Amino acid sequence: MFRSGPASLFPTRSVNRKGSEVGRRRRRPRLESLEDRTLLTTYNVDTFSDVLNAGTGHMSLRQAVNEINASGGTHTINLQGGNYALPLGQLSLTRGSVTIKGANPSDWNSSSISGGGTHRVLEVSAGVNVTLDGLTIRDGWDSFGGAG
């Protein structure tokens, strides 16, 4: 048979007496484990209302906390300047690592979260990392005598 062109385009195969290919190693595919792929999520709170309603098109502070608790991982919550009252009760952070940032990090009074003097403001579960940046936690109350 006549062949033209480079020899690499027409490799020759070596076969043994039984007709099996020789000199070629078969490779078995293997799975390789990868590092953890934690996605960082930023929640931009755009309402002062203490609501838990994912269908409104707005992100409340309570909705952001609930979504973080559902997913875990590392997250940032950005607040607007002003006071976030919590008439529905304390915010409970149960999973992940969370940074809550006020509107102006150099002015800790620009954003505040208030318990209204009737309940705790934040409850942080064991193993959860929380960083508060440029905001005030105020008017908390706890039946054990703390400020909540």
Side-chain angles (χ1 to χ4, degrees):
M1 174 192 266
F2 178 74
R3 292 185 184 182
S4 65
S8 63
L9 291 178
F10 305 102
T12 58
R13 294 189 300 173
S14 300
V15 292
N16 63 14
R17 291 182 195 173
K18 295 180 182 178
S20 299
E21 287 187 41
V22 293
R24 192 177 223 193
R25 297 175 110 182
R26 293 185 184 228
R27 295 183 185 219
R28 179 170 280 180
R30 288 187 266 171
L31 295 177
E32 179 181 339
S33 63
L34 300 174
E35 70 276 1
D36 183 28
R37 303 284 176 134
T38 303
L39 297 177
L40 307 178
T41 305
T42 299
Y43 296 93
N44 294 311
V45 175
D46 60 2
T47 181
F48 293 99
S49 299
D50 187 25
V51 295
L52 183 60
N53 186 355
T56 64
H58 292 282
M59 178 61 65
S60 71
L61 176 57
R62 187 168 302 276
Q63 181 69 34
V65 167
N66 280 3
E67 289 186 19
I68 289 167
N69 288 339
S71 65
T74 303
H75 307 279
T76 299
I77 299 174
N78 292 321
L79 302 177
Q80 298 176 11
N83 182 47
Y84 293 84
L86 303 174
L88 298 179
Q90 71 185 14
L91 295 174
S92 296
L93 296 160
T94 60
R95 292 179 66 191
S97 179
V98 183
T99 299
I100 303 175
K101 291 185 175 184
N104 184 356
S106 62
D107 178 10
W108 55 268
N109 219 9
S110 66
S111 301
S112 62
I113 305 172
S114 171
T118 59
H119 53 267
R120 283 187 279 188
V121 177
L122 293 173
E123 177 185 30
V124 180
S125 296
V128 176
N129 296 314
V130 177
T131 302
L132 304 175
D133 185 13
L135 65 107
T136 300
I137 303 297
R138 63 185 197 142
D139 302 323
W141 182 84
D142 187 32
S143 61
F144 297 109

